C-alpha cells in the first residue's frame, strides 16, 4: 500500500532549511528508503520560507499572502511516497525520517487508489 510522508519542520534555520537536520541526515535517510525498495517518489521543497499562499473565499475573492505559514508556523518541507505492506511499516519509516526530529513532524497519509472503481462503490 502506498503512503505519503508529509514532512513538516517546526522551524526554519537561518538558511531556510529544516532546523535540527543536516544534509548528511537527509542523504542517509534517502539512501535507506531507496535501498529498501519502497520509494515511489519524493521531493524536497526549496527554501522553506519562500512560498505564497492562495485562498479563495466562498464569494470567489482571491487572497494572496507571503509565506507557507499555518497558524502553528510549521513549514511543509517535502514529501516521500513509499510503498509498504501496512500502516505500521509506514509509521516505522516516518519515525526514521530526520524531519520528525527537532520539533518537526511527519504526517502519514494513505494514497487513494482510484484505479479500483470497486473501492468507491462503483
Amino acid at each position: 500500500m502506498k503512503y505519503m510522508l508529509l514532512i513538516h519542520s517546526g522551524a526554519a534555520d537561518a538558511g531556510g532549511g529544516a532546523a535540527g537536520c543536516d544534509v548528511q541526515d537527509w542523504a542517509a535517510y534517502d539512501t535507506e528508503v531507496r535501498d529498501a525498495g519502497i520509494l515511489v517518489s519524493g521531493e524536497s521543497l526549496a527554501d522553506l520560507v519562500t512560498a505564497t499562499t492562495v485562498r479563495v473565499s466562498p464569494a470567489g475573492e482571491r487572497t494572496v499572502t507571503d509565506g507557507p505559514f499555518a497558524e502553528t508556523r510549521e513549514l511543509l518541507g517535502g514529501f516521500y511516497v513509499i510503498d509498504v505492506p501496512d500502516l505500521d511499516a509506514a509509521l516505522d519509516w516516518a519515525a526514521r525520517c530526520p524531519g520528525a526530529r527537532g520539533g518537526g513532524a511527519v504526517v502519514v497519509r494513505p494514497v487513494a487508489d482510484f484505479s479500483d472503481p470497486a473501492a468507491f462503490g462503483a
Side-chain angles (χ1 to χ4, degrees):
M1 177 157 197
K2 291 179 186 167
Y3 290 89
M4 178 173 272
L5 308 181
L6 294 164
I7 304 161
H8 293 271
S9 175
D13 62 21
C21 301
D22 61 30
V23 174
Q24 292 83 8
D25 293 333
W26 288 107
Y29 183 73
D30 197 65
T31 299
E32 283 183 66
V33 171
R34 289 177 192 280
D35 289 352
I38 62 168
L39 180 67
V40 174
S41 65
E43 296 292 338
S44 175
L45 300 176
D47 191 349
L48 298 178
V49 295
T50 56
T52 304
T53 300
V54 176
R55 290 182 174 83
V56 178
S57 73
E61 295 176 29
R62 182 178 77 170
T63 303
V64 178
T65 55
D66 289 336
F69 308 111
E71 292 298 320
T72 62
R73 307 296 275 183
E74 280 187 347
L75 306 166
L76 178 62
F79 71 92
Y80 283 91
V81 176
I82 58 174
D83 194 350
V84 293
D86 54 34
L87 177 59
D88 287 335
L91 295 175
D92 287 342
W93 280 101
R96 295 182 197 180
C97 181
R101 299 183 221 143
V106 177
V107 176
V108 178
R109 303 267 316 261
V111 175
D113 180 5
F114 293 108
S115 66
D116 180 9
F120 299 98

